[in-house]
Amino acid sequence: MKELIDKIRAEGIALNEEVLKVDSFINHQVDTVLMDRIGETFAEHFKNHGITKVLTVESSGIAPAVFAAKHMGLDLVVLKKSTSKILGGEVYQSTVSSFTKGTRYELTLAKKFISPEDRVLFIDDFLANGQAAMGFVQLMEKAGAKIGGIGILIEKSFQSGRKMLDDLGLDVYSLARIRKMNEGMITFES
Ligand code: 5GP
């Protein structure tokens, strides 16, 4: 998506070979006009996938996911990052390793917000090693719900997440794909 790639070129900061800082338009300050266009683009791509619900992970996925859900006329469910396992039967949980923080958390979804009839679109800001997305996949397995697709703003194609999700046969649609990064340098897939 040209607008997103242009924005990354203008304001994205490659901190090293692995981490891209996008604080000025996604993670801290949010460019709402760009997020609206991103939401529209996801809605267009997934319009014939029979999606019933949009899911994301707090907190950076929320802005683009709100706009995607709005353009699709659907509810958005935000998966929580809980620090502990919750006992009792009211939630589904799966353990995820955080890419940026190096910590672990329990991706948590209240059972009342998902059903086996749902076909879900998962939206996230980055795809790196696919841990967040795999946590989502496991939650859908527990809930017996179907996966209609995965929408990513920025895929770092040199990390392992894309292959992992492709191997599961999932429809992964990334708006910007980075082939290589280094301090001050970003190369996109053509
Ligand atoms: P994964 O679970 O695919 O390994 O990593 C995805 C998650 O880690 C995303 O939800 C995102 O919040 C965070 N993340 C991964 N790579 C980056 C990055 O280069 N920059 C930022 N700001 N966040 C990232």
Side-chain angles (χ1 to χ4, degrees), residues 18-23 27 57 60 81 96-100 105 124-133 156 159 161 181:
E18 302 216 321
V19 179
L20 178 67
K21 198 170 171 196
V22 289
D23 270 19
N27 290 154
V57 185
S60 305
K81 291 175 178 169
V96 171
S97 304
S98 162
F99 179 83
T100 40
Y105 58 85
D124 205 2
D125 57 345
F126 277 93
L127 176 61
N129 292 326
Q131 295 304 303
K156 289 177 289 173
Q159 290 166 335
M181 279 183 352

Side-chain angles (χ1 to χ4, degrees), residues 29-30 36-37 42 56 68 117 134 148 151 159 162 173 190:
Q29 174 170 261
V30 177
D36 189 26
R37 277 285 300 132
F42 282 138
T56 190
E117 283 74 51
M134 285 307 290
Q159 290 166 335
R162 159 60 79 156
Y173 180 53
S190 47

Side-chain angles (χ1 to χ4, degrees), residues 57 79-83 85 93-108 122 124 129-139:
V57 185
L79 301 174
K80 304 281 187 182
K81 291 175 178 169
S82 173
T83 48
K85 285 201 193 295
Q93 288 188 307
S94 72
T95 309
V96 171
S97 304
S98 162
F99 179 83
T100 40
K101 299 194 181 78
T103 52
R104 287 161 88 81
Y105 58 85
E106 298 295 323
L107 202 59
T108 302
F122 179 71
D124 205 2
N129 292 326
Q131 295 304 303
M134 285 307 290
F136 157 76
V137 169
Q138 282 162 16
L139 287 181

Side-chain angles (χ1 to χ4, degrees), residues 4 15 23-24 35 61 76 84 111 122 124 133 167 179 184 190:
L4 178 59
L15 296 180
D23 270 19
S24 66
M35 291 305 136
L76 166 67
S84 57
K111 289 183 178 175
F122 179 71
D124 205 2
D167 287 348
R179 188 195 306 162
S190 47

